[in-house]
Amino acid sequence: MGFRWSIDLPRYVLFGIWMFINLALVVIQFGLFQGDARYFYMRVRTWEALAFARGPALMINFNTALVLLPICRNLISFVRGCCNCAPRGIRVLLDKNLTFHQWFAWAIVVGSAVHTGAHWYNYERFVSNIGAAGAPGAANPPGLTDASVSSDPVLVCFSTAAGITGHIMVVVLFLMVTSSIEFIRRSYFEVFWYTHHLFVIYLIALGFHQTQRLLPVQSNTAVHPPAVCSERLVNNDPNPLLPPCDTPATFSASGPTSFYWFVVPLFIYIVERAIRLASYCMPVVVTKVVEHPSKVFEIQMKRRWFKPEVGQYIFINIPAASVLEWHPFTMTSAPEEDSFSVHIRIVGDWTDKVAKKIGIGSSDFRQSWQLPKIFVDGPFGTASEDVFNFEVAMLCGAGIGITPFASVLKSVWYKLQDRSRSLKLKKVYFFWIAPDTSSFEWFQDLLQTLEGDMISQGWGEFLEYHIYLTRGWSDKDAKVIMLHDTADGGDAITGLQQKTHFGRPQWENIFDQVSVAHPGTDVGVLFCGPKVLSHTLHKNCNLFNKRANTERARFFYNKENF
């Protein structure tokens, strides 16, 4: 069949390069501390555990330098804007920023586990070898002389800066990792949000971790070969100080290096935070609040110098609901509109507080100045920005995951009306999967307006949408199913021209139909919704790309990430 380019290939290549660098750093550092004569006397004290501790240490430093970069959202948005001419497979990497963040974080966790375990063994070995032959007393870490060292390795460990800061970092990593579990992150977002900011303590502890300089390095191995001299001490040689051991071993303390690894990424992150601080300190004016069916409400806002792109998202903070919480929302407005808007579904404590504060469910009219103050951070780029780079687009949303495509569909309409601009996008397939009829109510007005306008302008074939109702059928819905194939006019559930489908989409058949209908065309598949459906769509993209040729389309999968 031959080799075919996959949009996943750059990610696999990048993963391979990253893994190779990690392994190379561990092996090189391990070999240095296991074989270098400068560390011979420390190996006598601690055996091979020193190398096992120092190898992962370099991997920890490397990934700590990287872990902050994927969450610099302004940086990613800037790079995305600079990569319009890059291959799609490369641009897709920008949408995997949270995946990369998780890679780096897990590497830090694994490295820390090995590093901590090896150093606990080092402390135990060091205490048990106090006064043993084979190494001069000067080979001890600074401040830990044979006479002053306790016989309890725990006390020795917590008497050093490295032991104290190391355990602080271990506790911080444990809290950050356990609070990042998907169940915690989705059900108790505040816990995840607060504990993740403990990374500041982690970086401070890492910066001070090596300040005591506990690792002695022999500086005169040329005139005092440690292997020869140590063997004389172990064998109780009657003349241990004969040449070449007549010159005493001299040691210097190894300086801290961790700070040099993360100082540049930390500077970039600080600049990122400064930009975001300036962004969300700019005043936001609420121009309109709209209450939609199905516990959904819309907030329309304005802010100076706010220039969004299609499908982008923002973080919103409403101090009246919570001072510290920031929540991401995809904008449902088009870039061509004068204001920007978000749709929020009431599904938790924070959204319930926000709804009450802005008067949802109340009959009292409120002026703009009576509404709570809102801070906005963003906008930030997403995969939806690439929709106009394809000739054909498949927009797939599940439940409230339809929000990015409200912006896309509105922008499509505005661009079609602008006769002076040529539009590369020629066909849009829109798929919306929802569990019950109430999920359609807040969005169907937009679809009805868009459908009517497109038909009246002769663009009825441009947008083809398919709405799927998967469960929650009432008696009324059952009757609709019976009359589904024979009913005239609009759909009884949505009021749209195209009928509602009952059940789940047969994605393999859908991809096959699109592939045949658009031979030799690149089709952008954009998705926002649950992970299970994302896996299904991604799998079908890869499946049909294996069959891609001049008679079939090629699919590029993109998923919304926050």
Side-chain angles (χ1 to χ4, degrees):
M1 179 181 291
F3 178 77
R4 294 188 183 278
W5 174 270
S6 168
I7 60 172
D8 290 323
L9 184 61
R11 180 158 57 103
Y12 297 147
V13 171
L14 191 63
F15 179 79
I17 294 173
W18 173 73
M19 283 295 296
F20 175 79
I21 293 175
N22 278 286
L23 292 174
L25 290 174
V26 171
V27 171
I28 291 171
Q29 188 82 331
F30 182 91
L32 174 67
F33 281 86
Q34 187 65 12
D36 196 308
R38 294 175 299 167
Y39 304 103
F40 182 87
Y41 285 125
M42 277 302 293
R43 291 197 296 273
V44 171
R45 291 291 200 192
T46 62
W47 295 358
E48 288 78 8
L50 176 64
F52 278 105
R54 297 302 301 173
L58 206 58
M59 183 176 76
I60 294 171
N61 288 336
F62 171 64
N63 286 281
T64 299
L66 296 177
V67 73
L68 290 176
L69 297 179
I71 55 175
C72 292
R73 301 178 189 273
N74 282 300
L75 175 64
I76 293 174
S77 296
F78 173 77
V79 174
R80 182 189 298 277
C82 296
C83 292
N84 284 333
C85 298
R88 292 191 182 104
I90 301 300
R91 292 206 307 276
V92 166
L93 293 177
L94 297 174
D95 301 319
K96 302 295 181 182
N97 60 313
L98 295 183
T99 299
F100 299 148
H101 178 70
Q102 293 168 359
W103 288 0
F104 306 148
W106 278 114
I108 293 172
V109 170
V110 172
S112 298
V114 177
H115 181 76
T116 303
H119 267 320
W120 265 113
Y121 183 77
N122 283 337
Y123 278 109
E124 192 280 328
R125 289 298 309 167
F126 176 75
V127 170
S128 64
N129 278 341
I130 290 297
N140 289 340
L144 299 179
T145 63
D146 288 353
S148 66
V149 172
S150 168
S151 60
D152 188 345
V154 176
L155 294 178
V156 176
C157 176
F158 283 97
S159 68
T160 63
I164 295 172
T165 57
H167 284 85
I168 289 174
M169 287 188 284
V170 168
V171 171
V172 168
L173 287 175
F174 174 79
L175 293 174
M176 293 177 68
V177 169
T178 53
S179 64
S180 300
I181 299 172
E182 187 171 359
F183 170 75
I184 299 294
R185 193 172 67 248
R186 295 192 179 278
S187 303
Y188 305 97
F189 182 80
E190 299 87 349
V191 175
F192 163 76
W193 181 260
Y194 295 144
T195 55
H196 239 59
H197 283 78
L198 293 174
F199 82 91
V200 176
I201 298 177
Y202 170 84
L203 290 179
I204 293 173
L206 184 60
F208 283 96
H209 188 56
Q210 295 174 299
T211 52
Q212 197 173 342
R213 301 187 175 191
L214 290 179
L215 185 62
V217 181
Q218 186 179 343
S219 55
N220 64 338
T221 56
V223 296
H224 181 98
V228 174
C229 301
S230 177
E231 185 177 1
R232 289 183 180 182
L233 293 174
V234 172
N235 295 331
N236 297 316
D237 192 305
N239 298 302
L241 299 181
L242 289 177
C245 300
D246 53 336
T247 303
T250 58
F251 297 87
S252 60
S254 175
T257 58
S258 295
F259 180 76
Y260 299 111
W261 282 87
F262 66 79
V263 62
V264 173
L266 182 60
F267 174 76
I268 294 173
Y269 182 77
I270 291 174
V271 172
E272 163 82 12
R273 297 304 301 185
I275 294 173
R276 293 177 67 173
L277 177 63
S279 172
Y280 61 66
C281 283
M282 297 181 67
V284 174
V285 177
V286 178
T287 58
K288 192 176 183 181
V289 175
V290 181
E291 185 173 1
H292 294 285
S294 305
K295 301 177 72 174
V296 174
F297 60 94
E298 176 185 0
I299 305 177
Q300 298 180 12
M301 298 163 278
K302 284 187 177 182
R303 195 185 77 180
R304 293 179 64 189
W305 302 314
F306 190 86
K307 298 180 179 179
E309 296 294 335
V310 63
Q312 290 187 327
Y313 67 97
I314 56 177
F315 281 87
I316 290 180
N317 169 255
I318 302 179
S322 176
V323 176
L324 297 178
E325 290 185 44
W326 290 82
H327 291 266
F329 292 96
T330 304
M331 287 181 289
T332 52
S333 54
E336 294 83 358
E337 295 177 329
D338 294 333
S339 60
F340 62 96
S341 64
V342 295
H343 283 68
I344 301 175
R345 170 167 285 177
I346 304 173
V347 292
D349 293 339
W350 186 84
T351 53
D352 185 60
K353 290 178 183 177
V354 171
K356 292 177 180 177
K357 294 295 181 181
I358 64 176
I360 298 300
S362 173
S363 58
D364 297 335
F365 177 79
R366 298 190 183 186
Q367 298 286 350
S368 179
W369 59 270
Q370 294 177 302
L371 297 174
K373 185 177 292 186
I374 296 178
F375 295 99
V376 170
D377 183 16
F380 302 112
T382 67
S384 297
E385 294 179 45
D386 292 337
V387 65
F388 296 108
N389 295 327
F390 296 97
E391 292 186 15
V392 179
M394 292 175 60
L395 312 180
C396 309
I400 198 67
I402 203 64
T403 50
F405 307 128
S407 174
V408 172
L409 294 175
K410 287 180 181 179
S411 188
V412 166
W413 168 243
Y414 284 113
K415 285 179 169 55
L416 286 174
Q417 287 184 310
D418 187 358
R419 305 286 185 175
S420 63
R421 299 177 57 182
S422 60
L423 189 62
K424 182 177 181 179
L425 187 64
K426 305 300 182 185
K427 180 73 174 182
V428 174
Y429 294 92
F430 177 58
F431 299 88
W432 189 6
I433 302 96
D436 50 54
T437 55
S438 62
S439 301
F440 299 127
E441 295 171 351
W442 71 272
F443 196 63
Q444 65 186 28
D445 289 342
L446 170 63
L447 285 179
Q448 287 175 348
T449 302
L450 194 65
E451 181 184 59
D453 290 343
M454 284 194 166
I455 292 175
S456 65
Q457 296 289 338
W459 299 321
E461 298 298 322
F462 187 93
L463 173 64
E464 180 179 322
Y465 53 88
H466 303 271
I467 299 176
Y468 291 83
L469 184 64
T470 57
R471 56 182 173 83
W473 303 344
S474 63
D475 293 339
K476 175 184 175 181
D477 299 328
K479 295 178 182 179
V480 172
I481 295 175
M482 296 174 59
L483 301 173
H484 190 265
D485 294 330
T486 57
D488 297 326
D491 184 76
I493 294 178
T494 64
L496 298 168
Q497 292 296 317
Q498 298 189 38
K499 307 297 183 181
T500 298
H501 302 276
F502 295 89
R504 301 185 183 278
Q506 301 298 315
W507 288 112
E508 190 167 344
N509 294 337
I510 291 170
F511 273 83
D512 185 61
Q513 293 169 7
V514 174
S515 180
V516 173
H518 305 279
T521 303
D522 290 344
V523 179
V525 181
L526 286 78
F527 173 72
C528 184
K531 186 180 297 185
V532 174
L533 183 52
S534 173
H535 176 74
T536 300
L537 293 172
H538 199 171
K539 179 180 177 182
N540 276 282
C541 285
N542 292 334
L543 174 65
F544 280 88
N545 283 344
K546 293 179 181 178
R547 309 173 185 174
N549 51 43
T550 55
E551 297 180 357
R552 285 183 174 270
R554 186 170 65 162
F555 297 90
F556 290 85
Y557 182 73
N558 299 272
K559 182 181 182 297
E560 296 291 326
N561 293 289
F562 298 113

